[in-house]
Amino acid sequence: MSDCLFCKIAAGEIPSAKVYEDDAVLAFRDINHQAPTHILVIPKEHIADSAAQITPENSAAVARCFEAVARVAAQEGLSDGFRVITNSGAAAGQTVPHLHFHILAGCEMAEKLI
Ligand code: AMP
Ligand code: ZN
């Protein structure tokens, strides 16, 4: 999508602190990190605005994102554990409508929602 921030990052039109990239997925550091390690994993293609739009037709890209999550976790040495979050919709706090997964690690996550 032409007017999408993460599509522009995926296309290299807006710079990002890249952590991992393959043909389908890009992972980069969140500009406003909420934990010592805070990485966003996105499908390069704008397959969905959020998790609410995942379908049998586009879910292969979601699997690719989670393969990337495992790779990034290993690469970043997150052997103590990490959390993966996706916000879907404004009420959940989503601010960028391009499907993405937050990897959070490196601090105590005792105050758990789930
Ligand atoms: P969400 O609020 O779940 O939609 O997540 C969007 C995330 O994108 C937020 O955590 C922002 O800090 C992050 N973000 C926004 N712009 C950029 C950018 N240019 N580079 C890296 N992260 C960004
Ligand atoms: Zn997009």
Side-chain angles (χ1 to χ4, degrees), residues 5-6 9 14-17 28-34 38 40 85-88 92-98 100 102:
L5 173 65
F6 285 177
I9 287 177
I14 292 176
S16 67
F28 55 97
R29 297 194 191 279
D30 195 295
I31 205 166
N32 182 26
H33 63 87
Q34 303 297 314
H38 185 172
L40 300 172
I85 292 175
T86 190
N87 296 318
S88 183
Q94 186 179 12
T95 57
V96 181
H98 176 128
H100 57 279
H102 299 254

Side-chain angles (χ1 to χ4, degrees), residues 1-8 43-49 96-99:
M1 280 170 67
S2 57
D3 198 28
C4 170
L5 173 65
F6 285 177
C7 282
K8 287 178 180 165
K44 285 182 170 176
E45 202 178 314
H46 193 113
I47 60 152
D49 290 353
V96 181
H98 176 128
L99 180 66

Side-chain angles (χ1 to χ4, degrees), residues 49-107:
D49 290 353
S50 74
Q53 295 175 355
I54 295 170
T55 65
E57 287 70 38
N58 66 23
S59 62
V62 179
R64 294 290 302 271
C65 285
F66 275 82
E67 290 171 30
V69 165
R71 280 177 176 266
V72 167
Q75 186 180 307
E76 294 285 311
L78 307 182
S79 53
D80 285 349
F82 59 91
R83 186 171 290 174
V84 179
I85 292 175
T86 190
N87 296 318
S88 183
Q94 186 179 12
T95 57
V96 181
H98 176 128
L99 180 66
H100 57 279
F101 301 95
H102 299 254
I103 301 175
L104 298 155
C107 61

